[in-house]
Amino acid sequence: MLMDESSCRERIARLRELKLEQTRAKITRLGSMDADDHGTVVPPADFHWKPYPNHPNGSFYGPIGWATNFRSLMDAYPTYVEPFDALAGRMMVYLCSYQPNNWRPEFDYSRLHAEQEKYGLVHGIGGPQHFAPDPLIGFSLGWGGLLREIRRQRAAHGPKQEKFYQAEEEVVLGIQTWMLHTLEAIAVRQKEETLPDLQENLREMVEANTWLVDNPPRTLREACQWWAWYNMAARIFNGHGAGGHIDQVLLPYYERDIAAGIINDECTIYYLACLLLSDAQYYQLGGPAPDGHDTTNRLSYLILEAAHRLGIPCNLTVRVHEGMDEQFFRTAVGHLCTDRLGWPRFCGDRALVQGFMRNGYSVELARQRIAVGCHWMAIPGREYTLNDVVKINIAKVFHEAFREMMEDQKTVPSVEALWKLFSRHLSRAVRCTAEGLDFHLAHQKDVNPELLINLLCHGPLQRGCDASAGGVEYYNMCVDGAGLATVADSFAALEERIERERALTWQEVDKHMRNDFAGSEGERVRLMLRNSERFGQGNSLGDAWAQRITVRFTKLVKAGPTPGGRNMIPGWFTWSNTVSMGRKLPATPNGRHAGEPISHGANPDPGFRRDGAPTAMARAIAMVQPGYGNTAPMQLELDPGLLLQGEEGISILASLLRTHFDLGGTLANVNIIDKQKLLDAYDHPEKYPDLVVRVTGFTAYFASLSPSFRKLVIDRILQI
């Protein structure tokens, strides 16, 4: 297909308006959505499907339980065809949402419950996906080739692995069934369509999908359609959202089609926009190849342009490295400044590569570890990580240490005594987390197996075992800390107000914390604590404590592997757990009220400086990187009035990002948004249906968020 610019823009604009209509329908039917903006649409009112349980508790488990239900759901799945869209299919319901109990009760880990609850651990047991497939496997084999590989390996492995291969076969057959049903629906729409250009689009849609039922993609359109089918199926299965190195994966198809004269750049932009619309997968742009050369190409620019014209929530990450195309970097920053939709994000290559090498890996392998999630880094198809699943609430750890110190009559309260207790409790929290990871890896295959991602990994089909159970080559288990600023500012406040100034006593602080700073005297004490030297101010007590905590947390996580021998990699990231972790936490010495959110990831708490200086934040967060290849993202909120317009504004923000990465930063998420507009949207979200914000690692329509998540964004942005 060849397209002119006006036709391309017209179709993308129509798809964008349709997306807004569909989002309003989802909010009306489903309510708030505090997660990535998936490409789902509301299912037909008469859609009904029931799972087949294979356990007395009414749930389904293991490869056969999941595969049987997936194929059944795919056979009943509603079809979706939009004549303005280049790609067929859309998600409507998720198989994982039909599983009433997500952990098999026979696998009992109650021995860990007490410490998991005590330290506020998000233990990760039963956590699905959160690692990355290699789409090139699917592009080379297609569904028919995958099916043949499954059957070949099934015959070679014999009865012992029968259930595993039977399940993988059922999954592929289920996807093919969904595609065939969709082809029938396209044919119906084709007969109904009266506009010649849309009739032609539907004809090409039929041609592409007829081929793709069994065969690998040949063209850019077919490659985008195949990837969309896989992404949607994997998202339906268990919420998978890791994309890949999009401008590398699709480049051969683009170059071949351009050389053959069957597409032009406008057509390419249209196909890419349709792929981005189908689901907000996490894709990396640019970065170094294994040998270090820059991978930026013409397609990298076209992907940015497609996202720009589409103007919806998007999860593109630009890899910033020393040899990158400087014009591409400025173009990406320019979209962030002018579109103001929270994308793209930027990750710092040097710290990520050098950090991952500290685990014993080569530089070539470290460069293959790409950005594929909220803060995830993973080697596509070769590494199992559980990124953004396991979290230690160090604010809860601090609370337990503080309570023990104040209630032990033999202990004289002091900051150093508290630090020793905090370190001891943190060590126990890390140990409990490590035991939980081993338990997960021992049983996940028999509870929630990774049947979809197995298909696009190097090893599971060949070895006959799940990616969670030895199917892939590398196991690097992510362990994130949460609540850094809450704890750093608490230590700093206690040191400053009690030990340095002697303005308060330990007993006074303890009493007012127990009473949640009630009354005028409690508020006076709270404000004294709140206005102590805080993390992010620069050369402050809070900065010193944040760095000390990071060193201790990192050493404890890296002190050794799990008892089962798995490598653990530390990071700082909270995602949405800022709210849930805060709800269960009493008042803290940084002046935080009981039940309020804990601090966000590696960020200083909002209001850490009166000027809210972005450079101060960039420096502070760069100083608390654990340094082993996982990220500790910077969440930055900027008012457009603070940036100069045009090229000068782009230069300022580009320089800030470069500074952060030169200092050791790993990932930057940036919101550029008018404060007054956001305040009005908070009170009247219905007035701003197209307002997009970066919540944390993901972007979303502001109107689709729950009140607590909207407040989370508001509280950060009110400080700018």
Side-chain angles (χ1 to χ4, degrees), residues 137-453:
I137 296 173
F139 282 16
S140 64
L141 295 176
W143 298 116
L146 285 168
L147 202 55
R148 288 189 292 274
E149 177 66 9
I150 291 167
R151 290 169 177 168
R152 187 175 72 83
Q153 295 293 345
R154 185 179 188 174
H157 281 78
K160 186 177 180 181
Q161 304 296 342
E162 176 69 19
K163 289 184 178 180
F164 173 81
Y165 288 110
Q166 180 185 342
E168 295 292 357
E169 183 169 327
E170 290 288 299
V171 163
V172 175
L173 292 173
I175 295 169
Q176 290 178 316
T177 297
W178 183 28
M179 293 174 70
L180 289 170
H181 290 336
T182 302
L183 274 167
E184 294 171 2
I186 301 170
V188 172
R189 290 300 298 269
Q190 197 175 3
K191 291 178 181 178
E192 297 171 346
E193 184 56 60
T194 59
L195 295 176
D197 62 328
L198 296 185
Q199 283 182 334
E200 176 62 16
N201 185 48
L202 290 167
R203 186 197 65 77
E204 292 183 4
M205 193 184 293
V206 168
E207 181 181 302
N209 283 283
T210 300
W211 174 263
L212 291 174
V213 170
D214 282 306
N215 302 292
R218 302 163 296 183
T219 65
L220 180 63
R221 179 171 187 158
E222 289 176 357
C224 289
Q225 179 70 81
W226 197 97
W227 210 351
W229 282 123
Y230 176 81
N231 289 340
M232 291 186 291
R235 184 79 86 175
I236 291 166
F237 186 77
N238 66 1
H240 155 83
H245 203 165
I246 183 171
D247 53 354
Q248 290 299 290
V249 172
L250 295 178
L251 182 62
Y253 299 93
Y254 166 73
E255 291 181 335
R256 193 157 53 236
D257 287 3
I258 287 288
I262 62 175
I263 63 170
N264 56 17
D265 280 354
E266 290 301 319
C267 180
T268 300
I269 291 168
Y270 170 55
Y271 292 158
L272 293 169
C274 292
L275 177 61
L276 297 176
L277 177 69
S278 69
D279 187 22
Q281 296 275 314
Y282 287 81
Y283 298 110
Q284 178 174 299
L285 295 174
D291 65 3
H293 81 265
D294 183 39
T295 62
T296 305
N297 55 71
R298 174 62 180 163
L299 196 60
S300 309
Y301 287 88
L302 296 179
I303 293 165
L304 289 179
E305 180 63 20
H308 162 68
R309 294 190 193 179
L310 195 56
I312 66 171
C314 190
N315 292 311
L316 299 174
T317 305
V318 172
R319 184 92 165 212
V320 180
H321 66 111
E322 292 179 0
M324 78 178 300
D325 177 349
E326 187 63 26
Q327 184 56 47
F328 178 69
F329 178 50
R330 291 185 63 85
T331 300
V333 175
H335 281 297
L336 180 61
C337 291
T338 57
D339 293 0
R340 300 176 188 173
L341 297 175
W343 65 265
R345 308 180 309 159
F346 298 86
C347 64
D349 177 76
R350 185 172 65 185
L352 289 169
V353 168
Q354 292 177 355
F356 193 59
M357 290 171 64
R358 294 178 70 191
N359 295 285
Y361 296 109
S362 69
V363 64
E364 291 81 10
L365 197 64
R367 287 171 178 153
Q368 295 176 51
R369 204 171 197 249
I370 63 172
V372 285
C374 280
H375 83 315
W376 317 355
M377 297 289 149
I379 304 169
R382 301 177 67 188
E383 181 186 21
Y384 185 89
T385 57
L386 272 192
N387 283 306
D388 193 20
V389 175
V390 178
K391 292 181 171 47
I392 297 176
N393 184 357
I394 70 163
K396 189 69 165 61
V397 173
F398 175 90
H399 169 77
E400 294 298 327
F402 187 86
R403 289 268 62 84
E404 180 179 342
M405 182 180 74
M406 298 308 298
E407 292 170 7
D408 184 358
Q409 295 182 353
K410 296 181 181 180
T411 300
V412 177
S414 70
V415 168
E416 280 307 308
L418 180 59
W419 173 252
K420 290 178 181 177
L421 287 169
F422 172 76
S423 299
R424 191 178 76 196
H425 282 283
L426 185 57
S427 177
R428 289 169 59 183
V430 171
R431 182 187 63 201
C432 181
T433 299
E435 291 177 10
L437 286 169
D438 281 344
F439 188 86
H440 166 88
L441 291 166
H443 300 293
Q444 179 75 348
K445 68 182 186 303
D446 297 315
V447 183
N448 301 320
E450 297 291 349
L451 301 180
L452 261 294
I453 306 185

Side-chain angles (χ1 to χ4, degrees), residues 419 422-423 426 484 544-559 570 572 623-628:
W419 173 252
F422 172 76
S423 299
L426 185 57
L484 175 62
W545 277 108
Q547 292 170 36
R548 187 177 184 183
I549 292 163
T550 297
V551 170
R552 181 56 53 89
F553 173 69
T554 301
K555 284 185 176 179
L556 289 172
V557 172
K558 295 303 298 178
W572 289 120
M623 295 299 106
V624 294
Q625 298 291 321
Y628 279 86

Side-chain angles (χ1 to χ4, degrees), residues 444-584:
Q444 179 75 348
K445 68 182 186 303
D446 297 315
V447 183
N448 301 320
E450 297 291 349
L451 301 180
L452 261 294
I453 306 185
N454 284 340
L455 295 170
L456 302 193
C457 281
H458 302 272
L461 295 185
Q462 293 72 29
R463 297 169 186 166
C465 51
D466 196 73
S468 67
V472 295
E473 190 172 355
Y474 304 110
Y475 288 80
N476 294 299
M477 311 309 295
C478 176
V479 177
D480 286 323
L484 175 62
T486 300
V487 177
D489 290 349
S490 291
F491 270 115
L494 294 170
E495 180 177 356
E496 181 177 355
R497 301 306 187 195
I498 297 176
E499 297 196 343
R500 291 192 175 187
E501 297 177 351
R502 303 189 184 278
L504 296 169
T505 67
W506 287 98
Q507 289 70 27
E508 282 180 292
V509 172
D510 184 28
K511 179 185 73 172
H512 288 298
M513 283 170 54
R514 288 178 182 273
N515 294 329
D516 196 21
F517 304 110
S520 58
E521 181 61 16
E523 179 63 8
R524 183 187 72 83
V525 170
R526 191 187 77 83
L527 291 176
M528 285 183 66
L529 296 168
R530 185 71 174 165
N531 291 310
S532 301
E533 292 185 23
R534 296 170 62 181
F535 169 45
Q537 290 178 338
N539 298 315
S540 67
L541 280 174
D543 288 310
W545 277 108
Q547 292 170 36
R548 187 177 184 183
I549 292 163
T550 297
V551 170
R552 181 56 53 89
F553 173 69
T554 301
K555 284 185 176 179
L556 289 172
V557 172
K558 295 303 298 178
T562 68
R566 281 83 173 200
N567 182 42
M568 297 189 293
I569 301 184
W572 289 120
F573 191 59
T574 322
W575 196 69
S576 65
N577 301 97
T578 50
V579 176
S580 59
M581 286 180 166
R583 284 197 192 108
K584 298 180 179 180

